Amino acid sequence: MPYADPESDDPQELVGVELPGSEAQTREMAAAFAEEFAQLGYTRAQILALYRRAEYAGAHRAWRLLGEDQIVRVVDESLAVWGRIRRVVIDAPACGAPDPPTWVRRRS
Amino acid sequence: MPTVRNWQLGREMSYPYDARFPSRQFAFVFNINRCIACQSCTMACKSTWTFNKGQEHMWWANVETKPYGGYPQWWDARILARLEEANPAGQVWGGAPADARFGPYGVFEGTTIFEAAATTLTPDSARVLGYLPADDEWNAPNIYEDNPVGKRGVRNQLDPTGEQLPEHKTWFFYLARICNHCSYPACLAACPRKAIYKRPEDGIVLLDQAECRGYRKCVEACPYKKSMYRGNTRTSEKCIACFPRVEGTDPETGGEPMETRCMAACIGQIRMQGLVQIAADGTWAEDRQNPLYYLVHVAKVALPLYPQFGTQPNGYYIPPRWVPRPYLRQMFGPGVDQAIDSYVNPSRELLAVLQLFRRSNRIIDRYEIQEGPKVYEGSLRGRKVELFNDTVIAFGRSGREIFRTTIEEPIHVRTNAHANSI
């Protein structure tokens, strides 16, 4: 977004052309983001923030086109499947530690 | 011009030099379905390698918004247009996808940037079809894309929507890019000084600053525009694949190869990087338990970026599932439909391998799966979903375990007030 206001008599002024789209594509995109981040272990509030914040323009575009209610439904559907489990990562000890390993760090 | 075998195109092609293959090849897979353009990778690279005077315009790693964004601007549209001019309506794929390491996407019947040079360029010494971007195309990596800014004169506040012009109503996806460290690099082919070379131990493509004279032939030739000119040193520079990390010389890892800065910084966990074994004929040697080999050659969910250019890039992408297929087929070749089908309906093994992304900054050389019981069966938007409590174990180059990941079902702890209320 340019900082200055548009000047209609400026021949160098940016001209915007809108590409068309379909609701089905937007819905699929919204579902993809919700499923991916639910799999990563993000919470409902964190995933919804992804859609509500303008910085994340892809997800935010879906939120603006589909509305809050549809996005909430998509997120809840995804969390109903992927949110029921929690993945944990267990790091192996650093080189030189006794073998067999004793687990030194556990992440979730 | 010598002939080389390009397994991604499923055929031989002309290239200015005879084929030489490294024993191992730097390669990576990006899962675009997860990328939200946070630009952490971009800044990790920038703050490590290109923060000096004269490098202001240089972004070895960048993330751009497709279809309308690009760095430099319109890089892919411009080279695609030049190829179309060279071979009108002929840039098509034929044959059938093969279940083999050579020609897995069928046969490309069009013209590569090397072949197009022979028929369209003068003088005869011109080796690669390309173009030199103008300065303004380099200057703003995400100009007119989707980064909201604040209103003029208002500090510390973003505009709630950010647009002043008509908004696109179509799909978005973010394309994260670095140098593909191609098997047949266009930059290397074009350099009249032979200043660019491919390392035999890991296939990383480097540009010798002492030999470079800044002719910018590499900048013109690289179809991905990942070779960049630096005005104050009058030489060109490019991504070096963070080779000290890949070599395992970082003291943190105790000799284990380490992923690059852009990979390690990825908070969306879209990236996996590794070293794949290369067979004598230039194809990937069978290495069933290598996660990159599995994603590219077994599950076939990861595809090369614009394989039709002919450079045999070593960057692979899991295509975004919501994007119109013709656009994706142009960008990733004819393997797109199978890749998305496999990704949307993942096998048990694919689900497990996807858990390896970004769990460690060490390069994963091999993985093992210890199968566990089924913990869930249901459906999501019409698709069957089965979850298993499988343990996935990642091993490094030395054979030592790096980490393991598994599923933990929630544990509900009763409060003290109701501890014995059963």
Side-chain angles (χ1 to χ4, degrees):
Chain A
M1 188 183 78
Y3 280 94
D5 290 332
E7 296 174 33
S8 57
D9 57 343
D10 181 356
Q12 297 296 316
E13 190 59 62
L14 187 65
V15 177
V17 179
E18 178 185 314
L19 293 177
S22 76
E23 190 174 323
Q25 275 173 14
T26 306
R27 197 185 307 278
E28 180 70 1
M29 178 173 71
F33 282 132
E35 289 178 32
E36 294 293 341
F37 283 85
Q39 287 184 51
L40 291 178
Y42 281 59
T43 65
R44 185 174 189 270
Q46 287 172 323
I47 300 173
L48 284 173
L50 185 71
Y51 291 91
R52 289 172 180 151
R53 292 183 66 99
E55 291 93 335
Y56 304 112
H60 187 65
R61 178 64 47 86
W63 182 81
R64 285 173 56 199
L65 291 172
L66 299 174
E68 170 85 5
D69 291 346
Q70 282 206 54
I71 293 296
V72 168
R73 190 158 56 241
V74 163
V75 171
D76 286 343
E77 285 171 358
S78 303
L79 283 170
V81 173
W82 299 108
R84 65 178 55 241
I85 56 167
R86 195 162 64 112
R87 296 191 191 279
V88 293
V89 182
I90 305 167
D91 288 327
C95 291
D99 206 25
T102 50
W103 307 119
V104 292
R105 192 152 65 96
R106 189 168 178 279
R107 297 176 278 159
S108 61
Chain B
M1 198 180 285
T3 302
V4 297
R5 281 162 55 89
N6 185 319
W7 67 261
Q8 293 176 354
L9 302 186
R11 67 171 173 85
E12 294 186 335
M13 66 168 201
S14 56
Y15 184 72
Y17 297 106
D18 289 325
R20 293 281 189 277
F21 304 113
S23 55
R24 285 177 172 254
Q25 173 63 52
F26 173 95
F28 57 86
V29 169
F30 290 174
N31 181 359
I32 313 178
N33 290 277
R34 285 182 180 173
C35 184
I36 54 172
C38 68
Q39 306 284 3
S40 299
C41 52
T42 309
M43 295 314 299
C45 178
K46 186 74 179 169
S47 60
T48 308
W49 300 115
T50 62
F51 55 82
N52 280 306
K53 189 175 180 182
Q55 295 178 308
E56 292 83 357
H57 67 295
M58 264 187 206
W59 302 87
W60 291 353
N62 78 294
V63 183
E64 57 202 40
T65 311
K66 288 296 176 193
Y68 27 81
Y71 167 72
Q73 278 183 285
W74 314 297
W75 65 273
D76 52 349
R78 288 189 65 176
I79 189 63
L80 286 168
R82 293 219 65 186
L83 281 168
E84 186 65 25
E85 282 171 22
N87 184 27
Q91 297 295 90
V92 295
W93 291 77
D99 193 18
R101 296 194 302 276
F102 188 84
Y105 318 121
V107 179
F108 181 59
E109 296 173 348
T111 302
T112 69
I113 55 174
F114 308 110
E115 293 161 342
T119 57
T120 60
L121 295 185
T122 54
D124 292 342
S125 59
R127 297 169 184 166
V128 187
L129 181 71
Y131 76 98
L132 207 53
D135 286 352
D136 60 326
E137 292 169 20
W138 288 111
N139 283 348
N142 291 99
I143 193 167
Y144 306 142
E145 292 187 24
D146 48 38
N147 299 51
V149 295
K151 292 278 190 208
R152 192 178 193 189
V154 179
R155 291 173 62 84
N156 303 322
Q157 191 176 334
L158 293 173
D159 188 278
T161 57
E163 90 287 0
Q164 287 187 342
L165 294 165
E167 280 191 288
H168 300 303
K169 296 285 188 289
T170 188
W171 73 92
F172 262 83
F173 76 94
Y174 299 110
L175 188 68
R177 299 201 300 122
I178 63 170
C179 169
N180 289 296
H181 296 276
C182 303
S183 296
Y184 302 114
C187 55
L188 185 154
C191 180
R193 296 273 306 170
K194 292 189 170 68
I196 301 177
Y197 60 102
K198 192 167 175 64
R199 304 207 310 180
E201 64 268 37
D202 51 22
I204 291 173
V205 177
L206 295 178
L207 198 161
D208 187 339
Q209 294 291 294
E211 288 296 316
C212 180
R213 291 293 179 271
Y215 298 147
R216 286 186 279 184
K217 289 294 180 186
C218 56
V219 183
E220 181 181 349
C222 174
Y224 305 98
K225 293 292 168 260
K226 282 297 177 188
S227 191
M228 299 160 198
Y229 180 68
R230 182 171 176 178
N232 63 343
T233 60
R234 298 182 185 176
T235 57
S236 295
E237 297 181 2
K238 66 175 290 300
C239 160
I240 59 169
C242 294
F243 67 81
R245 292 168 68 99
V246 173
E247 288 170 352
T249 50
D250 189 302
E252 183 196 327
T253 61
E256 283 284 352
M258 202 174 181
E259 292 196 339
T260 65
R261 286 276 291 134
C262 60
M263 310 286 169
C266 178
I267 62 166
Q269 303 182 13
I270 80 160
R271 296 170 174 233
M272 179 185 286
Q273 177 234 313
L275 295 164
V276 294
Q277 295 182 47
I278 300 298
D281 64 354
T283 60
W284 287 19
E286 183 158 348
D287 190 2
R288 181 63 179 75
Q289 295 307 118
N290 180 291
L292 296 182
Y293 183 90
Y294 172 79
L295 293 167
V296 172
H297 280 298
V298 181
K300 297 182 190 296
V301 294
L303 302 168
L305 179 65
Y306 290 118
Q308 65 268 42
F309 293 162
T311 62
Q312 203 172 287
N314 289 300
Y316 295 83
Y317 293 81
I318 301 177
R321 65 191 226 199
W322 61 86
V323 176
R325 299 298 171 87
Y327 187 85
L328 291 180
R329 288 187 201 110
Q330 176 180 254
M331 184 171 271
F332 301 111
V336 159
D337 299 284
Q338 184 186 353
I340 293 181
D341 190 50
S342 298
Y343 186 72
V344 173
N345 302 288
S347 66
R348 184 173 180 174
E349 184 169 6
L350 178 56
L351 267 181
V353 172
L354 289 171
Q355 300 314 312
L356 298 173
F357 279 65
R358 294 268 37 80
R359 303 297 194 200
S360 170
N361 59 9
R362 271 59 159 181
I363 288 178
I364 300 169
D365 192 64
R366 180 172 65 85
Y367 68 92
E368 279 179 16
I369 298 173
Q370 291 177 352
E371 294 193 345
K374 185 187 289 188
V375 293
Y376 173 76
E377 182 172 341
S379 67
L380 178 59
R381 301 185 187 94
R383 305 192 313 270
K384 185 181 177 186
V385 178
E386 288 180 310
L387 301 179
F388 297 87
N389 190 1
D390 292 342
T391 300
V392 196
I393 310 170
F395 298 90
R397 181 78 174 273
S398 65
R400 287 183 64 91
E401 179 177 333
I402 305 173
F403 66 89
R404 58 180 60 199
T405 175
T406 188
I407 284 175
E408 188 174 85
E409 292 178 76
I411 299 171
H412 301 284
V413 180
R414 287 175 181 273
T415 60
N416 287 338
H418 304 287
N420 298 310
S421 61
I422 295 175

